[in-house]
Amino acid sequence: MLTVLADDVQLRAASLVARYDQPGPRYTSYPPVPRWSKAFGDADFLEALDATGPTDPFALYVHLPFCAARCFYCGCNAVVTARDEIVHRYLDRLDAQVQRIVERLGPGRRVTQLHWGGGTPNFLGIRAMDRTWRMLARHFDIAPDAELSVECDPRLTSSEQLHHLRRLGFSRVSFGVQDLDPDVQREIGRVQPAEMVREVIDWSRDAGFEGVNVDLVYGLPGQTVETLERTMDRVLEELHPDRVACFGYAHVPWAHPHQRQIDESHLPDGDARFGLFSRVVRRFTGAGYQWIGFDHFALPDDALAVAQREGRLHRNFMGYTTMPGDHLLGFGMSSISDVANRYAQADGSLTGWSKAMDAGQLGIVKGLSLTADEVRRRRAIMRLLCDLRIAKDDLPGDPTLAWRRLVPLAHDGLVELTGAEATVTPLGRYFLRNVCMAIDTALETGTARYSRTI
Ligand code: SF4
């Protein structure tokens, strides 16, 4: 598959940035979160749990929100604390939430995927990790071949911690690297020397992790093509990750006021962001990684790359995945569940979520029951995000109308329209969210504050 753009196409792409760099959904769900309803609550979520089949597999997401300090660029739902009792009280409530959901679902439901995200899951000490593991393993039947993954902050990682996670069964670890340039690290309030990152990655391999992922971010303050190239040199030569996720920094200080600590005059503009990301694509595909979706890269023998080649790739709130868990259950504050065609999100504030847990509730503050039409649209958009092609008959809504909306993108070289199928071109990979927006005929304009697509 051709993934690196020739120089003339690169130039053409740059000229399209001004037109296509606009706010848009990341499509980790369909419909996206801003379209969900605050009228959706605990009772609706319980109905969703009742609608699951007795042998349906589940994916579990556990939100562990604690961090030692707030990075300036952070877009996560995080809680900064140094107090152990806050963590332990959170775990008490998490335990209560798990029990409440299992009472409704019945014990021993099959789990094929488990992810601990945050925040910083490895802010938890070994005893707290054990406790979190036991509260899940006690109630769920975690399949022997389930994919168990965890996010770790290199600054807090110890070899002992990694060995312990491996003993619990975690086989994939993701490290937030973001950028290895010391000046960029200072600008984003997250200083972690490259030598430290290399050491924790070596420890992960010594501990027997089968997959080591590295998360990078483009569009950071002070980042230039030169600094990013140096970061990628070190990632490729010293870290050798199995997968790389490279996200665009979303500067939304109205939603995350701590981002005001970032000097906006040092942020790359749309053209520069595109230039940075196209370097990322060049370097990783040039080094033999397979480009997955729009922001992931995986070695060819990695399960994600194999799944994409075989048309088995999926996308959910945890990003691209190989595991088709029928339902996703989220635990903890701000977590999202996707069960029986209903989305449900828990309260994002620690106070609000804790109060709901103490009152014996589930803390659901928004969600959506998908209509049959939305289920069809979701399938179409997710297949396009994973397979990069879609049959005309599978286009959502009125297929003729959706097809017509793709014609301008075909003129710009982003898709190829044959008689029966729309295929995303190598150039269109950079604008994949825009291609999805074109067929998302229900997308509202101007109301929701999405991040930029480039
Ligand atoms: S470690 Fe991650 S979650 Fe915590 S503040 Fe930094 S970016 Fe946010």
Side-chain angles (χ1 to χ4, degrees), residues 74-97:
C74 178
C76 304
N77 197 305
V79 173
V80 175
T81 185
R83 291 168 54 197
D84 265 1
E85 77 263 24
I86 293 191
V87 176
H88 286 292
R89 276 180 19 223
Y90 184 83
L91 295 183
D92 291 342
R93 291 170 174 132
L94 197 62
D95 202 358
Q97 186 194 15

Short mmCIF file of all heavy atoms in Angstrom, two decimals, residues 74-97:
data_model
loop_
_atom_site.label_atom_id
_atom_site.label_comp_id
_atom_site.label_asym_id
_atom_site.label_seq_id
_atom_site.Cartn_x
_atom_site.Cartn_y
_atom_site.Cartn_z
N CYS A 74 -2.20 18.91 28.84
CA CYS A 74 -3.08 17.77 29.15
C CYS A 74 -4.53 18.02 28.69
O CYS A 74 -5.11 19.07 28.95
CB CYS A 74 -3.06 17.52 30.66
SG CYS A 74 -4.17 16.19 31.15
N GLY A 75 -5.08 17.02 28.02
CA GLY A 75 -6.49 17.07 27.62
C GLY A 75 -7.27 15.96 28.28
O GLY A 75 -8.40 15.67 27.89
N CYS A 76 -6.66 15.29 29.26
CA CYS A 76 -7.31 14.13 29.90
C CYS A 76 -8.09 14.59 31.13
O CYS A 76 -7.91 15.69 31.63
CB CYS A 76 -6.27 13.12 30.36
SG CYS A 76 -5.19 12.58 29.05
N ASN A 77 -8.92 13.68 31.62
CA ASN A 77 -9.63 13.96 32.86
C ASN A 77 -8.74 13.46 34.00
O ASN A 77 -8.72 12.27 34.30
CB ASN A 77 -10.98 13.25 32.83
CG ASN A 77 -11.88 13.83 33.88
OD1 ASN A 77 -11.51 13.87 35.05
ND2 ASN A 77 -13.03 14.31 33.48
N ALA A 78 -7.98 14.37 34.59
CA ALA A 78 -6.95 13.98 35.57
C ALA A 78 -7.20 14.68 36.90
O ALA A 78 -7.79 15.75 36.95
CB ALA A 78 -5.57 14.35 35.03
N VAL A 79 -6.71 14.06 37.97
CA VAL A 79 -6.81 14.63 39.32
C VAL A 79 -5.39 14.66 39.89
O VAL A 79 -4.75 13.61 39.99
CB VAL A 79 -7.71 13.75 40.22
CG1 VAL A 79 -7.67 14.26 41.66
CG2 VAL A 79 -9.13 13.71 39.69
N VAL A 80 -4.91 15.85 40.22
CA VAL A 80 -3.57 15.96 40.79
C VAL A 80 -3.67 15.85 42.30
O VAL A 80 -4.42 16.59 42.93
CB VAL A 80 -2.92 17.31 40.38
CG1 VAL A 80 -1.58 17.49 41.08
CG2 VAL A 80 -2.73 17.35 38.87
N THR A 81 -2.95 14.92 42.87
CA THR A 81 -2.97 14.75 44.31
C THR A 81 -1.67 14.09 44.78
O THR A 81 -1.00 13.43 44.00
CB THR A 81 -4.16 13.87 44.77
OG1 THR A 81 -4.20 13.85 46.20
CG2 THR A 81 -4.05 12.44 44.27
N ALA A 82 -1.36 14.33 46.05
CA ALA A 82 -0.22 13.61 46.64
C ALA A 82 -0.74 12.75 47.78
O ALA A 82 0.04 12.19 48.53
CB ALA A 82 0.80 14.62 47.14
N ARG A 83 -2.07 12.69 47.93
CA ARG A 83 -2.62 12.04 49.13
C ARG A 83 -3.13 10.64 48.83
O ARG A 83 -4.07 10.45 48.05
CB ARG A 83 -3.75 12.92 49.69
CG ARG A 83 -3.20 14.23 50.27
CD ARG A 83 -4.28 15.22 50.56
NE ARG A 83 -5.32 14.67 51.41
CZ ARG A 83 -6.51 15.21 51.55
NH1 ARG A 83 -6.82 16.30 50.88
NH2 ARG A 83 -7.41 14.65 52.34
N ASP A 84 -2.53 9.68 49.51
CA ASP A 84 -2.91 8.28 49.32
C ASP A 84 -4.36 8.00 49.65
O ASP A 84 -5.01 7.17 49.01
CB ASP A 84 -2.06 7.40 50.26
CG ASP A 84 -0.85 6.88 49.54
OD1 ASP A 84 -0.69 7.22 48.35
OD2 ASP A 84 -0.07 6.14 50.17
N GLU A 85 -4.89 8.72 50.69
CA GLU A 85 -6.26 8.38 51.09
C GLU A 85 -7.27 8.74 50.00
O GLU A 85 -8.30 8.10 49.87
CB GLU A 85 -6.64 8.98 52.45
CG GLU A 85 -6.97 10.45 52.46
CD GLU A 85 -5.77 11.29 52.88
OE1 GLU A 85 -4.62 10.82 52.72
OE2 GLU A 85 -5.99 12.42 53.35
N ILE A 86 -6.95 9.74 49.18
CA ILE A 86 -7.86 10.09 48.08
C ILE A 86 -7.89 8.94 47.07
O ILE A 86 -8.94 8.55 46.57
CB ILE A 86 -7.42 11.41 47.41
CG1 ILE A 86 -7.63 12.53 48.43
CG2 ILE A 86 -8.18 11.67 46.12
CD1 ILE A 86 -7.51 13.92 47.89
N VAL A 87 -6.72 8.36 46.81
CA VAL A 87 -6.66 7.23 45.88
C VAL A 87 -7.45 6.06 46.46
O VAL A 87 -8.25 5.43 45.76
CB VAL A 87 -5.19 6.83 45.62
CG1 VAL A 87 -5.12 5.60 44.73
CG2 VAL A 87 -4.42 7.99 45.00
N HIS A 88 -7.25 5.78 47.75
CA HIS A 88 -7.93 4.62 48.32
C HIS A 88 -9.43 4.81 48.37
O HIS A 88 -10.20 3.87 48.13
CB HIS A 88 -7.33 4.27 49.69
CG HIS A 88 -5.98 3.63 49.51
ND1 HIS A 88 -5.82 2.38 48.96
CD2 HIS A 88 -4.74 4.11 49.72
CE1 HIS A 88 -4.52 2.11 48.86
NE2 HIS A 88 -3.85 3.14 49.31
N ARG A 89 -9.87 6.04 48.64
CA ARG A 89 -11.32 6.28 48.64
C ARG A 89 -11.88 6.13 47.22
O ARG A 89 -12.99 5.65 47.01
CB ARG A 89 -11.64 7.64 49.24
CG ARG A 89 -11.68 7.46 50.76
CD ARG A 89 -11.97 8.65 51.60
NE ARG A 89 -12.60 9.79 51.00
CZ ARG A 89 -12.22 11.04 51.25
NH1 ARG A 89 -11.21 11.29 52.03
NH2 ARG A 89 -12.86 12.04 50.70
N TYR A 90 -11.11 6.54 46.24
CA TYR A 90 -11.54 6.37 44.83
C TYR A 90 -11.71 4.87 44.53
O TYR A 90 -12.70 4.44 43.93
CB TYR A 90 -10.50 6.98 43.90
CG TYR A 90 -10.88 6.95 42.43
CD1 TYR A 90 -11.71 7.91 41.88
CD2 TYR A 90 -10.40 5.94 41.57
CE1 TYR A 90 -12.07 7.89 40.54
CE2 TYR A 90 -10.74 5.91 40.23
CZ TYR A 90 -11.57 6.89 39.71
OH TYR A 90 -11.92 6.86 38.38
N LEU A 91 -10.73 4.07 44.99
CA LEU A 91 -10.80 2.63 44.71
C LEU A 91 -11.98 1.99 45.45
O LEU A 91 -12.61 1.06 44.93
CB LEU A 91 -9.48 1.94 45.06
CG LEU A 91 -8.26 2.37 44.22
CD1 LEU A 91 -7.04 1.56 44.61
CD2 LEU A 91 -8.52 2.24 42.72
N ASP A 92 -12.29 2.48 46.67
CA ASP A 92 -13.49 1.97 47.38
C ASP A 92 -14.72 2.18 46.50
O ASP A 92 -15.56 1.29 46.36
CB ASP A 92 -13.73 2.74 48.69
CG ASP A 92 -12.67 2.45 49.74
OD1 ASP A 92 -11.97 1.43 49.59
OD2 ASP A 92 -12.55 3.26 50.69
N ARG A 93 -14.82 3.37 45.95
CA ARG A 93 -16.01 3.71 45.14
C ARG A 93 -16.00 2.95 43.82
O ARG A 93 -17.05 2.54 43.33
CB ARG A 93 -16.06 5.22 44.92
CG ARG A 93 -16.37 5.94 46.21
CD ARG A 93 -16.20 7.43 46.09
NE ARG A 93 -16.65 8.09 47.30
CZ ARG A 93 -15.95 9.03 47.95
NH1 ARG A 93 -14.79 9.44 47.48
NH2 ARG A 93 -16.43 9.57 49.04
N LEU A 94 -14.81 2.76 43.26
CA LEU A 94 -14.70 1.99 42.02
C LEU A 94 -15.20 0.57 42.26
O LEU A 94 -15.95 0.00 41.46
CB LEU A 94 -13.24 1.98 41.58
CG LEU A 94 -12.91 1.59 40.17
CD1 LEU A 94 -13.52 2.55 39.17
CD2 LEU A 94 -11.39 1.56 39.97
N ASP A 95 -14.80 0.02 43.39
CA ASP A 95 -15.23 -1.34 43.76
C ASP A 95 -16.76 -1.39 43.85
O ASP A 95 -17.41 -2.32 43.34
CB ASP A 95 -14.60 -1.70 45.12
CG ASP A 95 -14.54 -3.19 45.33
OD1 ASP A 95 -15.02 -3.93 44.45
OD2 ASP A 95 -14.04 -3.62 46.38
N ALA A 96 -17.34 -0.36 44.48
CA ALA A 96 -18.81 -0.32 44.62
C ALA A 96 -19.46 -0.24 43.25
O ALA A 96 -20.48 -0.90 42.97
CB ALA A 96 -19.21 0.87 45.48
N GLN A 97 -18.86 0.55 42.35
CA GLN A 97 -19.44 0.69 41.00
C GLN A 97 -19.38 -0.64 40.24
O GLN A 97 -20.35 -1.04 39.60
CB GLN A 97 -18.67 1.78 40.22
CG GLN A 97 -19.31 2.10 38.89
CD GLN A 97 -18.40 2.91 37.98
OE1 GLN A 97 -17.19 3.03 38.20
NE2 GLN A 97 -18.99 3.49 36.95
#
